[in-house]
Amino acid sequence: MNRVVIILFAFLSVSVYAQNDEATLKNIYKQSLTNGQSYAWLDYLSNKIGGRLSGSESAQKAIEYTKSELENLGLDKVWLQEVMVPKWVRGEKEVGKIILNNENSTIKIDVNICALGGSTATAKEGLQAKVVEVKSFEELAVLGEENIKGKIVFFNGAMQADLINTFEAYGGCSKQRYAGAYEASKLGAVGVIVRSLNLRQDDFPHTGSMGYLDLPNDKRIPSAAISTNDANTLSELLEKDNNLEFYFKQSCQQFDDVLSYNVIGEITGSEFPNEYMVVGGHLDSWDLGDGAHDDGAGVVQSMEVLRLLKESGVKPKRSIRVVLFMNEENGLRGGRKYAEVAKEKGENHVFALESDSGGFTPRGFSFDCSDANLAQIEQWRSLFKPYLIHFFEKGYSGADIGPLKNDNIVLAGLRPDSQRYFDYHHASNDTFDAVNKRELELGAATMTSLVYLFDKYGVNQIKNNPQIKD
C-alpha cells in the first residue's frame, strides 16, 4: 500500500511540475507579445541614437540610455564596467568608380563602396590603379607578386548560396574581408576591394572588421567593400577589358583607444547568489545603419529577459545578469573585459546566453556544452514545442560570452531564422524598419524561457531530477 502511494505521489509531482513549467512559459510568451518593452527600446536605440560604433558619441548615449532603463526596471544592481576600446572614424562618404579607357574617351561608372572597419585612408586625391580579380587567397598566391604589384586586388569570393546555414556561408569567405589587405599587401598591391558578404544582389556595401596583423604602417593599404551588384558589374567588365582601372577615395582614421563601458544589471539569486547566469548582446554597432538587427535586437531582448522574469513573478534562485557588451564589432574588448573581471573576482558563472544573430523568428539554440548537458537540455523540448522552437544542437554560442568558457559553464546562442540576416548585416539598411515587432518579442520570450529553466533546475543536474519529464 505504501509503495502504491509513493508511486502515485511521484506521478502527481511530475505532472504538477510539468504543468507549472508549461504555465510559466505560457505567461512569459504572453507578457512579451502583449506587454513587451523590447520593441520600444529598439525604437529609441535605432531612431533616437542610431549607429553606435565603439568610441563614438552615439555609443556613449546608448550606454547612458540602457543604464537608465535598467535602473527603471528596479533591478537589485545596475552598474557600468570600464573598458578601453578602439576609436575608428569613417570620415566623409566614400567614392568609387570603374574607369574604362577607350581610344577616344574615358568612361567612369559610379559604384557603391564603403571603407572596411579599421582600414587606412587613401591619399586625399584618392587611389587609381588597374584591377586583378581573385576569389580566394590560393588564387592570389598563384598570381604572385609579378601580377599583383602596383594593382588593386578585387576579392570576389561570394557566399555559398546552397548552404542553408547562412552563417556557415559567411564564415567561408569572411577571411577575405578581414585579411585581404594583409595578404595582398605582401605581394605589393596598393589597395583592396572586397565583395560584400551578402547573399542578395543589391546596391548596399557591407562594412565589417579588417586587420593588418603584423604589417608595418608603411605597408598598410586601403581596403573597401563593394556592393554585390557592383561586384558583378566589375567582374563582367574585367572579362571584357582587363586593363580597366578602379578609383576609390576614403578618409577614415584610427585614433588612440578611449574609455567606454559595458552596461550590467543584476537580479540577485534567492538561494544561490554566488552562481551567475548571464544573458547579453553587444551594444556597439557599425555606423552605416542604426544597428537594429546587429545587435540592437540582441541588446533589447537581453534586457527584456530580466523584465519578463519580474513581470512573470519568477524569483530566480541564481543571480541573473544582463550584460550589454561594448566593442564586439571591432575588438571584442567588452567580452574579454567582463570575463577578466569575473575571473579576478572568482565569480562562478554557470550559464551564459547571447543573442547576436538578428531579430528574426527564433528557431532554437546552439550550445557549447558537454554531451551530457545537451542530453539534459533535450528534456525541455516538449515545453518549447508549442512555440515552434525545435533547434537544440551543439555549436557556436557567441563572441562576447566565449571568453567565459570553462569545463563547467553552459554557453548558448539564440538561433533565429538566418535566411535574411546577411541582407542587412553591417550595411546601411540595417535599420529599425527591418525588424518585425512580433519576431523580436518571440525571441525575447524564448530566451527568457531558457533562462528560467536553467535557473530552476541548474546545470548538469536535470537528468537526476524527477520533476522533469521527457
Side-chain angles (χ1 to χ4, degrees), residues 236-267:
E236 292 165 3
L237 291 173
L238 276 169
E239 285 186 7
K240 300 174 183 177
D241 179 8
N242 60 10
N243 287 314
L244 68 75
E245 295 181 307
F246 193 88
Y247 168 87
F248 71 111
K249 180 181 179 182
Q250 55 191 42
S251 57
C252 39
Q253 295 183 70
Q254 186 74 52
F255 296 90
D256 292 338
D257 290 356
V258 297
L259 179 64
S260 191
Y261 305 90
N262 292 329
V263 183
I264 307 172
E266 177 183 301
I267 298 174

Side-chain angles (χ1 to χ4, degrees), residues 119-364:
S119 176
T120 187
T122 62
K124 289 184 178 181
E125 65 274 12
L127 170 64
Q128 183 172 327
K130 291 184 178 180
V131 182
V132 176
E133 178 181 350
V134 298
K135 294 183 178 178
S136 67
F137 289 158
E138 290 74 19
E139 286 187 19
L140 182 72
V142 169
L143 288 173
E145 185 175 356
E146 63 273 21
N147 294 302
I148 299 298
K149 189 173 183 179
K151 297 179 181 177
I152 294 172
V153 173
F154 168 38
F155 285 100
N156 196 29
M159 291 177 66
Q160 190 174 336
D162 61 344
L163 292 175
I164 302 304
N165 181 350
T166 61
F167 283 88
E168 184 180 352
Y170 174 76
C173 55
S174 60
K175 61 183 180 181
Q176 293 182 44
R177 186 195 71 201
Y178 186 80
Y182 172 76
E183 296 294 342
S185 177
K186 291 191 296 182
L187 298 176
V190 294
V192 162
I193 299 295
V194 182
R195 182 189 184 91
S196 286
L197 302 183
N198 177 12
L199 285 160
R200 187 171 67 176
Q201 305 305 307
D202 61 28
D203 295 322
F204 298 103
H206 293 233
T207 191
S209 185
M210 58 81 62
Y212 292 109
L213 304 175
D214 58 357
L215 282 179
N217 288 340
D218 63 346
K219 297 293 184 181
R220 297 183 176 188
I221 58 177
S223 183
I226 186 171
S227 74
T228 50
N229 276 343
D230 290 325
N232 292 340
T233 298
L234 178 57
S235 182
E236 292 165 3
L237 291 173
L238 276 169
E239 285 186 7
K240 300 174 183 177
D241 179 8
N242 60 10
N243 287 314
L244 68 75
E245 295 181 307
F246 193 88
Y247 168 87
F248 71 111
K249 180 181 179 182
Q250 55 191 42
S251 57
C252 39
Q253 295 183 70
Q254 186 74 52
F255 296 90
D256 292 338
D257 290 356
V258 297
L259 179 64
S260 191
Y261 305 90
N262 292 329
V263 183
I264 307 172
E266 177 183 301
I267 298 174
T268 303
S270 59
E271 295 183 30
F272 310 106
N274 294 324
E275 291 186 12
Y276 296 96
M277 299 176 60
V278 166
V279 58
H282 64 86
L283 191 52
D284 63 306
S285 76
W286 286 107
D287 56 323
L288 295 179
D290 58 51
H293 275 298
D294 187 20
D295 185 29
V299 164
V300 299
Q301 286 173 331
S302 299
M303 295 167 65
E304 183 77 334
V305 167
L306 273 66
R307 193 192 73 86
L308 288 174
L309 289 174
K310 290 175 69 67
E311 289 293 322
S312 301
V314 175
K315 296 182 179 179
K317 297 179 180 181
R318 294 161 179 82
S319 294
I320 299 177
R321 287 178 180 170
V322 56
V323 183
L324 310 181
F325 299 96
M326 183 54 66
N327 186 231
E328 186 273 347
E329 292 292 6
N330 59 338
L332 205 64
R333 304 279 186 87
R336 290 173 178 159
K337 184 66 174 182
Y338 181 83
E340 175 190 323
V341 172
K343 185 176 181 180
E344 288 174 355
K345 292 183 175 181
E347 293 178 341
N348 179 23
H349 282 71
V350 297
F351 173 81
L353 168 62
E354 183 168 336
S355 174
D356 186 17
S357 300
F360 301 99
T361 303
R363 299 299 189 203

Side-chain angles (χ1 to χ4, degrees), residues 386-458:
Y387 310 102
L388 305 181
I389 304 300
H390 61 274
F391 183 85
F392 299 89
E393 294 185 9
K394 290 186 73 173
Y396 178 70
S397 57
D400 281 310
I401 62 175
L404 288 170
K405 183 176 173 60
N406 58 38
D407 292 337
N408 300 314
I409 193 171
V410 172
L411 302 177
L414 178 68
R415 291 293 164 259
D417 188 302
S418 72
Q419 303 312 310
R420 290 175 290 138
Y421 181 62
F422 291 98
D423 295 354
Y424 306 100
H425 184 250
H426 296 176
S428 61
N429 61 336
D430 183 8
T431 51
F432 179 70
D433 61 294
V435 178
N436 177 275
K437 179 177 183 289
R438 187 171 178 83
E439 292 179 345
L440 181 75
E441 293 168 345
L442 285 168
T446 300
M447 293 168 65
T448 308
S449 299
L450 185 69
V451 170
Y452 157 74
L453 290 167
F454 264 109
D455 173 63
K456 182 173 180 179
Y457 297 112

Side-chain angles (χ1 to χ4, degrees), residues 47-108:
N47 294 320
K48 300 297 184 182
I49 296 177
R52 304 170 296 280
L53 192 56
S54 292
S56 68
E57 182 179 347
S58 293
Q60 182 60 35
K61 288 181 179 178
I63 290 166
E64 294 167 1
Y65 171 69
T66 52
K67 178 176 181 288
S68 175
E69 291 300 306
L70 290 177
E71 290 171 339
N72 290 340
L73 295 182
L75 304 181
D76 296 312
K77 300 176 185 175
V78 177
W79 71 99
L80 300 181
Q81 184 177 73
E82 293 186 353
V83 55
M84 297 299 292
V85 300
K87 181 180 176 66
W88 179 84
V89 176
R90 180 173 302 279
E92 297 178 0
K93 182 175 174 56
E94 301 87 346
V95 176
K97 297 178 185 291
I98 300 170
I99 299 175
L100 302 172
N101 294 306
N102 299 321
E103 288 185 6
N104 300 318
S105 64
T106 297
I107 300 173
K108 297 181 179 180

